[in-house]
Amino acid sequence: MVAIGSKALPLRKSNTGTLTEDSFMAEDNSYGRHGKKGNMSRKSSKRKAGFVGDPSTENLSGGVASKTLKASKVSKHQNASMPPTSFLRKQVDPETAKYYSEIANVIEGTDLEERSVICGNALEESKGKEVELATDYVISHTFQTLLEGCDVNHLCGFLESCAKDFPLIAMDRSGSHVAETALKSLAMHLQVQDDETCTLIEDTLSMICKVIVDNPVEMMCNCYGSHVLRSLLCFCKGVPLDSPEFHATKSSTVLAERLNFRPSRLEGNNDSQYLQQGFPNLLKFLVSGMLNCSRKDISTLQADKSSSLVLQTALKLLMGHEEELLRIIPILLGCNMENAVEGNLGKITSVQNLLRLIEETAYSHLMEVILEVAPETLYNEIFTKVFRNSLVQMSYHQCGNFVVQALVSHARSQAHLELIWEELGPKFKDLLGMGKAGVIASLIAASQRLHSHEQKCSQALVAAVCSENESVGCIIPRILFLESYFYCEDKSNWNWPNGVKMHIMGSLILQLVFKFPSEYIQPYITSITSMEADHVLEVSKDFGGQRVIEAFLSSNASGKHKRRLVMKLRGHFGELALHPSGSFTVEKCFSAGNLSQRETIVSELLVVQSELSKTKQGTPLLRKLDVVGFARRPDQWKLQQASKQSAYEEFYATFGSKETKSSKTGSFLMETPRISQPANLKEMRKEIDASLAYENSTAKMRMSGHKRHAKRAESVDKKETKRRRKDP
């Protein structure tokens, strides 16, 4: 049994051998416009055993020493340089390494109470040696276990003991995992909601934050330190440390929010939504301290990939705190704040330099978040002083076009949209030809959100893909295959391509278009209803295309046009239902069709019922369309459908808008983006369905109740007859 506690390891002289530890580890590949986001993997890079060349240039964590920041870290437009970032770390002596190896073995199999004592004592033994132990590749794993198993007092004691070296630990490949584990353990202890514990944790975090703000640039620009710092910011706010909304957001999520397909993950967030307690004052101190202490290095922070991620997280966490944002954002824009007042950017040192920065990956991501969280007064100034009269040029750039998308998506008023339209409205065809369809999609989504320029957007898109002397039937196919069409040299002879995947952004644009009022989208309605049946089926099988079909069937187009499209899929509903996501299309067709078409759809599903019931999507679809009920009692199923249809029509005749009434006649009534009382319509439809279902179930219960009463009465009569026969 290994000895535990302060007497376990006798005092001994530390080994005098040292290794150079570089706080800037291997090249940061964690951030890129087209690349995958890197992680904090512990997998070592493949290299020969032993050190190569000078042994002082490599350490046990796999880092490479360097006296200056790599040239790739700093923008070619900046002359900023970083201070030396290397430090000396004592090599762990064999006896200490053996001790913690035995500790790791002892912890396994112990109960929670005993483990807490062992972990706490083992952490006490690390005093004065936290850096070399936490950054050792092997021992760092043991330290993660110790930090997870100890009590809050030993946890805070460890962090306070190594607070002055916390940035060095966080910037190490192995040490960063130890730092992350310590923060996660603090978050777990914070859930106890004990005042004494909260105070202890806050004091500990305060010590760490004070050390960080003394020299924040190194930690912010380090790929490992950046991740730890983002977790610390999240902890101070009171959100989960690994929250994807604040750490790093997937591009697909951002796009869905910009195109109004899902609500913003940041808007409406408040402290009451978070499960754990936060430290808002500490968050403000850390963010303002980082920027105030690094103003002279702001050019480096603007261009560095890792620091950009830290700043993005800080801005997202401070969304809604206008006072803080009005101080922070001008600094990030490189403004001269000497003569600035609140809500005024002051003098931007160089607009052209800022526009060049926006064309770089790191700063373009940062600018997107700035535009999202900026208070309205600040957004106005950024728009007028930086972007106005530069939108077309920025839209054509590989990175700049994403910033333009963010600017358009977060336009605050119709006046903003008018200015944006003046520059981008005439450029729809050029933008599509250059592969910048995302800018157009953002503009269409903004027009819907602000209820401005909707008809102009619709007309401009038609003009971009269809000339005046061409049939409007080509509109939908060309938008579905944007790349194929615009890369075709002879566009006049372009035909439907075979075996080509449909353009994702093109399908998203069409989904947005079909949210417009019906009078604005007549060319699109004509185009989609005039498509050949084979092409409609192909669209329905494509992941993006089927959503276009669903968007059309949910639009304000007339029921007559919707049923015309549904007819083109006749004979293929069973095939579509078996498709992983085709069941949604089948359901939309069912809702949009008349009684005859709905009967056809259910009949086709009945043929593949056994096969469909084995799929994930099949069971819910069979239940919603009541395929089993149709198979048992077709006549009763038809009566139920007719009853539902009548109830819907009566409801919309009373509460629906004129446009809704005209588009829903003769079909199942579906929710649309523009109808009166939008908050209540979906609930009312559910009530209608529930009411009809209740009536049906009540009728069945009554019938079964009558049968039970008849049987019971018959049984009583028989018993009474037998009793009378026995009596003399």
Side-chain angles (χ1 to χ4, degrees):
M1 175 67 72
V2 64
I4 306 298
S6 60
K7 296 182 180 180
L9 290 176
L11 294 175
R12 50 186 177 270
K13 293 182 178 180
S14 301
N15 193 323
T16 56
T18 60
L19 294 173
T20 301
E21 180 81 17
D22 176 29
S23 62
F24 280 90
M25 309 306 294
E27 183 177 357
D28 178 17
N29 294 318
S30 63
Y31 193 92
R33 180 63 74 185
H34 299 292
K36 292 182 178 179
K37 178 181 176 293
N39 54 30
M40 299 176 66
S41 173
R42 288 178 176 267
K43 293 182 180 179
S44 304
S45 58
K46 295 181 180 179
R47 48 169 66 95
K48 295 181 181 180
F51 293 117
V52 180
D54 185 2
S56 66
T57 63
E58 193 160 353
N59 59 66
L60 291 179
S61 289
V64 179
S66 174
K67 292 294 180 182
T68 58
L69 184 66
K70 293 183 180 181
S72 62
K73 284 280 188 180
V74 183
S75 168
K76 61 184 178 181
H77 305 296
Q78 307 297 332
N79 297 319
S81 61
M82 290 293 297
T85 59
S86 60
F87 68 93
L88 298 178
R89 175 173 64 79
K90 296 179 181 180
Q91 186 178 8
V92 179
D93 62 88
E95 189 175 351
T96 303
K98 181 181 178 182
Y99 168 77
Y100 282 101
S101 176
E102 292 175 342
I103 286 289
N105 294 329
V106 169
I107 292 175
E108 294 182 6
T110 59
D111 57 40
L112 292 178
E113 185 175 353
E114 185 180 359
R115 176 179 295 187
S116 177
V117 175
I118 295 174
C119 292
N121 291 338
L123 286 175
E124 285 184 1
E125 204 59 45
S126 68
K127 285 188 177 180
K129 304 182 287 293
E130 293 91 353
V131 176
E132 56 261 41
L133 292 173
T135 57
D136 181 88
Y137 181 79
V138 177
I139 299 177
S140 64
H141 289 79
T142 303
F143 261 69
Q144 287 182 254
T145 304
L146 297 177
L147 293 170
E148 290 172 342
C150 68
D151 58 44
V152 66
N153 292 306
H154 283 98
L155 175 60
C156 291
F158 170 81
L159 289 172
E160 290 173 2
S161 178
C162 67
K164 66 181 186 301
D165 296 318
F166 185 83
L168 300 180
I169 295 173
M171 290 188 290
D172 180 81
R173 185 181 65 179
S174 298
S176 61
H177 290 275
V178 176
E180 288 268 1
T181 301
L183 293 176
K184 290 178 181 178
S185 296
L186 284 177
M188 290 295 296
H189 287 293
L190 195 60
Q191 294 179 4
V192 177
Q193 297 293 331
D194 177 69
D195 291 341
E196 185 177 350
T197 300
C198 292
T199 302
L200 177 61
I201 293 175
E202 185 174 11
D203 292 342
T204 303
L205 291 176
S206 181
M207 290 180 63
I208 294 173
C209 291
K210 288 177 181 177
V211 173
I212 291 174
V213 298
D214 283 343
N215 185 18
V217 180
E218 291 184 57
M219 189 171 177
M220 293 173 70
C221 294
N222 178 273
C223 61
Y224 303 113
S226 168
H227 199 282
V228 175
L229 197 46
R230 280 176 275 154
S231 295
L232 179 58
L233 289 168
C234 289
F235 188 13
C236 291
K237 176 66 175 180
V239 301
L241 270 64
D242 54 354
S243 173
E245 290 84 359
F246 300 101
H247 249 293
T249 309
K250 292 182 179 180
S251 57
S252 58
T253 303
V254 174
L255 182 62
E257 293 173 0
R258 288 180 181 172
L259 301 186
N260 307 329
F261 290 127
R262 59 170 287 175
S264 173
R265 64 201 183 284
L266 299 180
E267 290 181 5
N269 277 337
N270 53 66
D271 295 339
S272 63
Q273 289 179 293
Y274 306 133
L275 299 178
Q276 63 190 50
Q277 177 180 338
F279 304 99
N281 293 332
L282 204 54
L283 173 66
K284 295 176 183 178
F285 167 78
L286 180 57
V287 175
S288 60
M290 286 191 301
L291 289 176
N292 290 335
C293 294
S294 56
R295 283 196 182 192
K296 63 181 182 298
D297 298 307
I298 193 64
S299 58
T300 300
L301 298 182
Q302 287 175 326
D304 184 79
K305 299 175 182 179
S306 298
S307 63
S308 175
L309 287 170
V310 175
L311 295 171
Q312 289 175 54
T313 298
L315 290 171
K316 292 174 185 177
L317 292 171
L318 289 174
M319 186 174 185
H321 298 271
E322 291 196 6
E323 185 178 349
E324 297 298 321
L325 292 172
L326 289 171
R327 282 201 299 262
I328 294 170
I329 292 177
I331 297 175
L332 300 179
L333 295 174
C335 297
N336 182 356
M337 299 303 295
E338 293 180 1
N339 300 320
V341 296
E342 184 174 321
N344 193 306
L345 287 179
K347 182 179 179 180
I348 299 177
T349 53
S350 173
V351 172
Q352 291 303 316
N353 181 59
L354 191 59
L355 290 174
R356 283 195 296 268
L357 274 173
I358 291 171
E359 294 180 349
E360 296 186 10
T361 303
Y363 195 76
S364 68
H365 280 285
L366 179 59
M367 180 58 79
E368 289 176 42
V369 179
I370 288 175
L371 293 169
E372 181 178 6
V373 305
E376 185 172 352
T377 54
L378 210 51
Y379 177 93
N380 290 336
E381 291 212 46
I382 295 172
F383 181 87
T384 55
K385 293 184 177 180
V386 179
F387 289 100
R388 193 173 181 183
N389 300 322
S390 300
L391 292 180
V392 176
Q393 175 191 350
M394 296 301 301
S395 297
Y396 293 159
H397 191 270
Q398 180 180 4
C399 293
N401 84 91
F402 291 98
V403 178
V404 175
Q405 291 180 43
L407 179 78
V408 174
S409 298
H410 300 294
R412 305 303 201 266
S413 66
Q414 293 183 354
H416 289 152
L417 197 60
E418 176 63 34
L419 295 174
I420 293 169
W421 176 259
E422 289 178 3
E423 294 188 51
L424 297 181
K427 301 295 182 180
F428 269 39
K429 189 171 184 178
D430 295 338
L431 290 168
L432 291 175
M434 297 186 69
K436 302 298 182 287
V439 177
I440 293 176
S442 297
L443 184 51
I444 293 174
S447 72
Q448 290 177 351
R449 178 171 56 85
L450 297 172
H451 306 301
S452 175
H453 292 75
E454 294 168 294
Q455 188 172 11
K456 290 182 178 180
C457 284
S458 178
Q459 293 172 345
L461 182 59
V462 169
V465 298
C466 179
S467 60
E468 292 182 0
N469 59 349
E470 290 182 302
S471 169
V472 295
C474 66
I475 295 174
I476 297 295
R478 289 179 180 180
I479 297 177
L480 285 173
F481 296 99
L482 275 178
E483 286 187 0
S484 173
Y485 172 70
F486 278 97
Y487 289 168
C488 179
E489 294 182 1
D490 186 7
K491 292 183 174 57
S492 59
N493 292 322
W494 179 87
N495 292 312
W496 185 283
N498 295 319
V500 177
K501 187 177 181 181
M502 294 176 190
H503 197 267
I504 294 177
M505 191 57 68
S507 66
L508 291 173
I509 288 175
L510 288 174
Q511 291 175 56
L512 291 169
V513 165
F514 283 123
K515 291 182 179 180
F516 284 148
S518 59
E519 62 266 24
Y520 298 162
I521 59 173
Q522 288 304 314
Y524 301 91
I525 295 173
T526 303
S527 179
I528 197 170
T529 54
S530 64
M531 288 171 58
E532 297 178 10
D534 292 343
H535 293 167
V536 174
L537 179 61
E538 186 177 342
V539 173
S540 301
K541 290 182 178 179
D542 182 85
F543 180 76
Q546 61 190 202
R547 299 199 172 219
V548 175
I549 299 292
E550 293 165 17
F552 168 70
L553 295 175
S554 300
S555 71
N556 284 322
S558 68
K560 179 181 177 181
H561 287 113
K562 293 178 182 179
R563 291 192 293 273
R564 185 181 301 172
L565 184 71
V566 173
M567 282 295 295
K568 294 179 184 290
L569 292 172
R570 186 172 184 176
H572 299 283
F573 292 111
E575 179 185 355
L576 276 179
L578 292 172
H579 195 271
S581 52
S583 61
F584 296 102
T585 307
V586 173
E587 187 178 347
K588 290 290 185 182
C589 290
F590 184 88
S591 298
N594 55 28
L595 184 58
S596 175
Q597 289 175 329
R598 293 198 290 272
E599 185 177 354
T600 299
I601 293 172
V602 176
S603 298
E604 293 185 24
L605 295 185
L606 192 58
V607 177
V608 295
Q609 180 183 4
S610 58
E611 188 177 354
L612 189 59
S613 61
K614 298 176 183 177
T615 63
K616 182 179 180 181
Q617 75 279 4
T619 303
L621 181 64
L622 293 171
R623 184 174 61 252
K624 287 180 181 178
L625 274 55
D626 193 18
V627 176
V628 176
F630 175 80
R632 291 176 178 174
R633 297 181 178 178
D635 294 336
Q636 185 176 349
W637 182 90
K638 291 178 184 179
L639 289 174
Q640 289 177 353
Q641 298 301 316
S643 178
K644 282 186 179 182
Q645 181 69 24
S646 176
Y648 288 143
E649 289 177 356
E650 184 179 349
F651 170 75
Y652 276 98
T654 305
F655 299 104
S657 65
K658 292 182 180 179
E659 184 176 6
T660 302
K661 294 174 188 176
S662 63
S663 66
K664 304 303 176 182
T665 303
S667 67
F668 264 111
L669 304 177
M670 302 168 61
E671 55 193 287
T672 58
R674 293 204 175 194
I675 52 180
S676 60
Q677 305 177 12
N680 298 325
L681 290 181
K682 192 172 182 180
E683 292 300 323
M684 288 295 293
R685 183 176 179 182
K686 288 182 179 179
E687 288 182 15
I688 293 171
D689 287 338
S691 177
L692 292 171
Y694 175 76
E695 289 178 4
N696 291 331
S697 62
T698 303
K700 292 179 181 178
M701 289 175 65
R702 286 173 179 172
M703 290 296 294
S704 61
H706 287 310
K707 291 180 181 179
R708 286 198 301 271
H709 287 307
K711 289 181 179 179
R712 189 177 301 168
E714 184 179 354
S715 176
V716 171
D717 289 341
K718 289 182 179 180
K719 289 181 180 179
E720 182 65 19
T721 302
K722 289 181 179 180
R723 186 183 64 79
R724 288 179 178 178
R725 286 177 179 176
K726 290 180 180 179
D727 292 341

